[in-house]
Amino acid sequence: MARRQNPDPRTDRRDIWELLVRLGMIVVHSTGGLLRIVGAMLFGILRMIGYLFTQVGRFFGAIGAAFSHAFREHGRPAREIIRDIKQSRGKGIGLVLWHGLRLLMSFIFGEYGILRTGFNYILPVISILFLIGIVRLGSGLDYALSVSVSGEELGIISSEGDFDAAEYEVKQRLAMTGEDISMNFSPVYDLRIVNADDQYLSVQTIADKLLAGTGHDLRDAYGVYVDGEFIGAVEDRDVVASYMDRALEKYAADITGNVNEVYYTKSVTYEQGVYLAESLSAPSVLIRKLSAENKTEGHYVTRSSDTPQIVAAKHSMTLEELEELNPDVDFDEGFEAGLLLHVTTSERYIPIAFTRTLTETSYIDYTSVRVETAALNLGVERVISHGSLGERSSEVLVTFVDGVEKSRQVLSTVVTKEPVAEQIGVGTYSAQPANTTTVLSGTGKYGWPVNGGYISSPFGGERRHKGLDIAAPMGTEIYAAEAGTVYRAGWNSGGYGNYVIIDHPDGYRTLYGHASSVVCYEGQQVEKGQLIALVGSTGDSTGPHCHFEVRVNNICVDPALYLRVND
């Protein structure tokens, strides 16, 4: 067998040192790369700055060179003029001044003069500055859409949609005259600068201006609109508006019970403007139109809480009117739920709605849960715990239109009682007689107490037998026929031998006798189907079996009445 050598500490230290050296080299290499990148970026920035300064220097150098060249080129004609000045001395001061003036004009206005040279470079700069000023001035102004019809400007508007709406408004007003309204105003739109005093035209103002050009007889009045539709005009809107307010107040006063708000379902507005004389109406005419009602016949299905009086009130009918429409219905006996009634409904030109808040209780369905239980024989299903409905309290906003409920909106809901699930027991108790020929048709209150076996001796008879003998092989399991508390467990000298008595919650008792052994103890809580003893032949017995008794108030009754097997 090879012998393992001990590691050398010096070798370990050398490996650590090499690792540290490699790590240091990686750090140095990474740092160097980062510094090179930063240096390259700084170098690039400095080159860009240098390039900008170079270009600026070249620009001013070019200007300087241009002026220098101008001065050099100007020197030749200047020298000629100076020579002329010298030659003109003694010929009069006037000639000298003339040649001096030539020199000055050549310096300023000559081909290479200061003025022409400066314009060649300064004029483009001035043009650029002028263009920038024009753009800034234009961007600071406010523009608006101007509209014109037939060459006449009406004013400025927010959008083309305002003119379209005004055109529709004009056609509404003209429609009341019966004239052809298929006109086209052919608007022309343009952009113009807005002054501080300019005002945007409203749709009604545009309509007034358009209508003024139609040549009709116009009057200053108030147009009455229902949901935006023109229905007529009046000179005094206060009379109409006051009536509408009073009608709403009266309707609200006649409502019984709590009310949140009362309102018209359609919007009634009044617009001041110019209107056709033919469209003007007396306030009373418009009031009759706005307050008109139309009665229509319909149907109503009664609810369990309905009475004749309630149904009549719901539809703003008298009881006599309801009876007249339903001659075959006996009103003296009240209404059953689901009864179809003929009713009339009043539909106003402008319906009135009101809302009220109600608190209602509704029920919550319970669920069903399947639970396996040994309390039932295998394959048997039975409700072992009844479910109960839950309850919820809801705050509901109810909307009525002309007295008829139209909608409900749940505002809040609180569960006041949780539902309790129904429990359906699914039997798992599998103890059955050994043979299917053993048939018992009792209530099934108790389960077959032996794992197999057969009835060797029934209850009663000439022997006045107190129970049911179930013969089975020695040591066969004996189960509790129902849940309960073990009352007796052990030996009985009265003939039962080893036996068990169980007290059940309903006051009944079951007894299991002649066992070979008992596997429970007194006071023990046992479930249905739980092992309590083994079949034997102790006590007064002629063979292995289980003596099974059912006692009611200490009186033995036939166990077969409570057993249900193979049925």
Side-chain angles (χ1 to χ4, degrees):
M1 181 176 179
R3 184 177 180 184
R4 183 179 179 182
Q5 296 181 353
N6 293 326
D8 187 352
R10 290 175 296 179
T11 302
D12 293 342
R13 286 195 297 273
R14 185 166 58 252
D15 293 340
I16 295 173
W17 175 253
E18 290 179 356
L19 179 62
L20 292 175
V21 170
R22 291 179 181 175
L23 182 61
M25 291 177 66
I26 293 172
V27 172
V28 170
H29 180 73
S30 301
T31 305
L34 182 61
L35 290 175
R36 284 195 296 273
I37 293 172
V38 174
M41 293 175 62
L42 291 175
F43 180 72
I45 294 172
L46 291 175
R47 284 190 62 185
M48 184 179 296
I49 294 174
Y51 175 77
L52 291 175
F53 277 107
T54 300
Q55 296 304 316
V56 172
R58 288 179 179 176
F59 174 74
F60 284 106
I63 294 176
F67 278 96
S68 177
H69 175 71
F71 279 115
R72 284 196 306 271
E73 294 297 327
H74 184 267
R76 186 169 57 255
R79 284 192 296 270
E80 293 178 357
I81 295 174
I82 292 172
R83 187 173 61 249
D84 291 342
I85 292 174
K86 289 180 180 180
Q87 292 177 356
S88 63
R89 288 177 182 178
K91 295 181 178 181
I93 188 66
L95 188 59
V96 173
L97 291 176
W98 165 248
H99 289 302
L101 181 61
R102 282 178 58 206
L103 178 63
L104 179 62
M105 295 298 289
S106 174
F107 182 76
I108 297 175
F109 298 103
E111 182 179 357
Y112 296 100
I114 294 175
L115 189 60
R116 175 178 285 188
T117 303
F119 272 8
N120 288 338
Y121 293 93
I122 295 175
L123 189 59
V125 175
I126 293 175
S127 299
I128 293 173
L129 294 177
F130 180 75
L131 179 61
I132 293 173
I134 292 297
V135 171
R136 292 191 60 186
L137 177 63
S139 62
L141 297 176
D142 293 327
Y143 296 87
L145 191 66
S146 171
V147 61
S148 301
V149 174
S150 300
E152 181 182 352
E153 183 185 22
L154 301 182
I156 58 174
I157 59 177
S158 299
S159 66
E160 294 182 16
D162 287 352
F163 184 87
D164 294 339
E167 190 174 12
Y168 174 74
E169 169 63 18
V170 170
K171 291 179 179 180
Q172 280 197 101
R173 298 184 193 179
L174 291 175
M176 299 197 69
T177 65
E179 294 187 10
D180 180 19
I181 59 173
S182 59
M183 60 179 60
N184 188 352
F185 290 101
S186 300
V188 176
Y189 301 101
D190 193 12
L191 281 177
R192 72 172 177 84
I193 298 173
V194 179
N195 299 320
D197 297 333
D198 287 333
Q199 298 291 329
Y200 285 90
L201 299 180
S202 67
V203 172
Q204 293 295 329
T205 303
I206 300 171
D208 291 345
K209 288 178 175 287
L210 293 175
L211 199 58
T214 61
H216 288 83
D217 183 13
L218 304 177
R219 304 286 178 84
D220 288 330
Y222 290 91
V224 182
Y225 297 81
V226 177
D227 279 351
E229 294 294 326
F230 178 69
I231 65 167
V234 290
E235 292 182 332
D236 187 358
R237 71 165 185 179
D238 293 338
V239 176
V240 179
S242 177
Y243 171 82
M244 296 299 290
D245 291 340
R246 290 197 308 272
L248 197 64
E249 293 173 359
K250 182 180 182 303
Y251 188 93
D254 293 339
I255 301 173
T256 58
N258 69 301
V259 175
N260 296 342
E261 63 172 332
V262 183
Y263 57 92
Y264 289 113
T265 61
K266 296 180 180 179
S267 171
V268 181
T269 55
Y270 309 90
E271 298 291 346
Q272 186 176 13
V274 291
Y275 294 87
L276 299 175
E278 298 95 315
S279 66
L280 261 63
S281 302
S284 59
V285 175
L286 273 181
I287 288 173
R288 283 196 300 271
K289 188 171 184 178
L290 293 172
S291 59
E293 291 188 29
N294 181 32
K295 289 186 175 293
T296 58
E297 187 172 329
H299 297 88
Y300 177 77
V301 179
T302 59
R303 302 175 181 176
S304 58
S305 58
D306 281 335
T307 64
Q309 291 76 12
I310 291 176
V311 174
K314 280 183 177 180
H315 297 87
S316 302
M317 301 173 62
T318 64
L319 191 58
E320 290 74 16
E321 291 173 338
L322 185 62
E323 291 178 350
E324 184 178 349
L325 287 177
N326 299 274
D328 297 332
V329 177
D330 188 352
F331 282 74
D332 295 332
E333 295 184 1
F335 293 152
E336 295 181 354
L339 180 64
L340 183 65
L341 296 177
H342 295 279
V343 295
T344 58
T345 57
S346 297
E347 183 177 350
R348 298 171 182 265
Y349 180 69
I350 302 181
I352 299 178
F354 68 90
T355 61
R356 62 167 40 128
T357 303
L358 303 177
T359 300
E360 296 184 343
T361 299
S362 58
Y363 296 100
I364 307 172
D365 286 338
Y366 57 80
T367 58
S368 295
V369 180
R370 297 165 67 86
V371 180
E372 291 186 346
T373 175
L376 296 173
N377 291 333
L378 185 67
V380 175
E381 292 189 9
R382 185 180 303 159
V383 175
I384 58 176
S385 177
H386 291 283
S388 62
L389 296 173
E391 293 181 2
R392 65 165 68 92
S393 178
S394 300
E395 189 177 69
V396 181
L397 181 67
V398 185
T399 301
F400 298 85
V401 178
D402 285 341
V404 179
E405 181 181 324
K406 291 296 183 180
S407 66
R408 289 185 172 225
Q409 179 186 359
V410 178
L411 303 178
S412 63
T413 299
V414 177
V415 177
T416 56
K417 178 184 175 184
E418 293 288 347
V420 178
E422 174 188 60
Q423 292 189 351
I424 300 175
V426 179
T428 60
Y429 188 79
S430 59
Q432 293 288 319
N435 198 306
T436 57
T437 57
T438 302
V439 177
L440 296 174
S441 302
T443 62
K445 177 181 176 65
Y446 297 127
W448 182 260
V450 179
N451 186 17
Y454 61 93
I455 298 174
S456 59
S457 179
F459 176 82
E462 295 180 356
R463 296 175 50 204
R464 305 182 70 177
H465 194 207
K466 295 181 179 180
L468 199 66
D469 286 346
I470 301 173
M474 186 73 70
T476 300
E477 296 88 349
I478 299 175
Y479 305 117
E482 182 59 279
T485 305
V486 177
Y487 176 66
R488 291 282 186 266
W491 180 259
N492 174 269
S493 57
Y496 289 111
N498 291 323
Y499 80 128
V500 175
I501 298 179
I502 298 176
D503 274 340
H504 302 290
D506 58 2
Y508 284 39
R509 283 181 176 176
T510 53
L511 181 146
Y512 314 80
H514 309 305
S516 61
S517 62
V518 174
V519 295
C520 61
Y521 56 88
E522 293 180 2
Q524 180 182 355
Q525 298 292 324
V526 294
E527 298 297 326
K528 181 177 182 179
Q530 184 172 334
L531 181 66
I532 57 173
L534 300 176
V535 170
S537 187
T538 58
D540 295 340
S541 173
T542 58
H545 71 283
C546 171
H547 176 79
F548 179 57
E549 291 184 7
V550 175
R551 296 180 178 180
V552 181
N553 297 325
N554 273 336
I555 298 174
C556 294
V557 296
D558 187 359
L561 298 174
Y562 305 95
L563 296 174
R564 189 179 188 88
V565 293
N566 295 325
D567 183 24

